[in-house]
Amino acid sequence: MPTLDGVVPVIPTPFSDDESIDESSLRRTVEFVAQRQMAGLCLPAYGSEFYKLTDAERETVVGIAIDQASGKIPIVAQANHPSVKVACELARGYERMGADIVSFAIPRQFGATDADRLHYCGQIADAVTCPVLIQDFNPGGPTVGVEFIEAAHHAHPNIVYFKLEEPLVVDKLIQVRKKLAGKVGVLGGWGGYYMIESLPAGICGIMPGVPICDLLAKVYRTHRMGDPQTAYELFSKLLPYIAFSLQDFELFLQMEKRLMVRRGLFETTRCRSLTRTLSAEVSSHIDFLLDQMETVLKSEKLNR
């Protein structure tokens, strides 16, 4: 079974100016992540603008990633859909294509009970034989508890990873580690924002975006090697960029793509509409923050 231990970047979907998928940029990005020995890569997730892709396009980007990776790095294919029937079809298709892990986000558009959510998750897990990662993305709202995680794994043993991205997650991480150590791994999301407090509490990795994944991987490795002070010092240089980007999700996507272009990975910064139009003042501040990231990349000798 593939082991996700470290940084698993979410691959943004590169678009040409006509909003078609830019295959060459996608291949270049997959190769970039693989060469930096990340723990895996994930797509098409929220950070891939999955909600702006057709089902056929989702299959296309997964297929390109699997082909380009050629077994060098585990592929986490995300089968997001509010309909469990459609999500199961996507998951089965990704497994047939060669994805190593199937992931999906718990639908949060409308209210549901934990029993309903367990049933939804279980049906998708039972649709595949590969390991399953469940993302609970619900900023500012209630998230699944330890009992839910325990019940999901007990009923469906191939549910072995959860991605949690919520404030004050430390106590939950500690409880998961106590109850399910060695059975369920928890990865942090939200751009890596909570990683410093989550590392001592037992996360097995983080799932940020691509543009600063190598810097975040250095933070992760440094902390794991027993040097939290040096890890904190590097992370503190990244935090203004991360915090500013997370004020709005479309802002996050636009900032990611602008840094991807600067790093020579993407040809354009295009996000599919509907997206956010940025003022000149906001855009200028983004450029300032990107300049700081380029300075850090050069100082850490990672800008290659």
Side-chain angles (χ1 to χ4, degrees), residues 51-236:
Y51 48 93
K52 301 176 187 176
L53 302 177
T54 66
D55 289 350
E57 286 175 325
R58 296 192 209 181
E59 184 175 298
T60 294
V61 298
V62 171
I64 291 170
I66 290 171
D67 179 67
Q68 185 64 39
S70 300
K72 291 176 287 190
I73 186 171
I75 304 295
V76 182
Q78 191 139 11
N80 292 338
H81 205 283
S83 162
V84 73
K85 180 179 185 299
V86 177
C88 286
E89 290 171 357
L90 289 168
R92 282 191 288 263
Y94 296 155
E95 184 177 38
R96 285 195 298 269
M97 291 168 65
D100 300 286
I101 296 170
V102 163
S103 174
F104 60 88
I106 299 173
R108 289 290 187 178
Q109 294 93 328
F110 306 105
T113 67
D114 270 0
D116 292 331
R117 295 188 187 97
L118 275 169
H119 183 62
Y120 173 92
C121 294
Q123 287 184 80
I124 303 173
D126 290 346
V128 296
T129 59
C130 64
V132 168
L133 183 157
I134 297 176
Q135 177 186 11
D136 193 17
F137 176 58
N138 193 32
T143 56
V144 298
V146 179
E147 295 78 11
F148 183 101
I149 295 171
E150 188 175 25
H153 173 72
H154 179 75
H156 312 277
N158 63 329
I159 298 176
V160 290
Y161 295 108
F162 274 80
K163 179 184 179 183
L164 303 178
E165 32 201 338
E166 62 199 76
L168 299 175
V169 72
V170 169
D171 290 340
K172 186 182 293 185
L173 291 173
I174 292 170
Q175 292 178 51
V176 171
R177 185 174 63 186
K178 286 180 178 178
K179 288 193 172 187
L180 293 161
K183 298 178 181 178
V184 173
V186 177
L187 295 101
W190 208 231
Y193 189 73
Y194 304 113
M195 71 178 296
I196 286 293
E197 62 263 40
S198 297
L199 277 161
I203 56 169
C204 69
I206 62 167
M207 298 183 75
V210 170
I212 59 169
C213 67
D214 41 1
L215 289 167
L216 290 168
K218 188 167 185 178
V219 173
Y220 187 92
R221 289 193 303 269
T222 303
H223 199 290
R224 280 280 188 260
M225 291 169 63
D227 189 356
Q229 182 62 39
T230 300
Y232 172 82
E233 289 169 2
L234 175 54
F235 184 72
S236 67

Side-chain angles (χ1 to χ4, degrees), residues 13-17 22 25 257-258 260-261 265-271:
T13 303
F15 296 116
S16 301
D17 285 332
D22 177 359
S25 290
K257 291 190 174 184
R258 285 168 70 161
M260 295 286 280
V261 169
L265 296 171
F266 278 16
E267 296 296 328
T268 77
T269 61
R270 177 74 63 180
C271 290

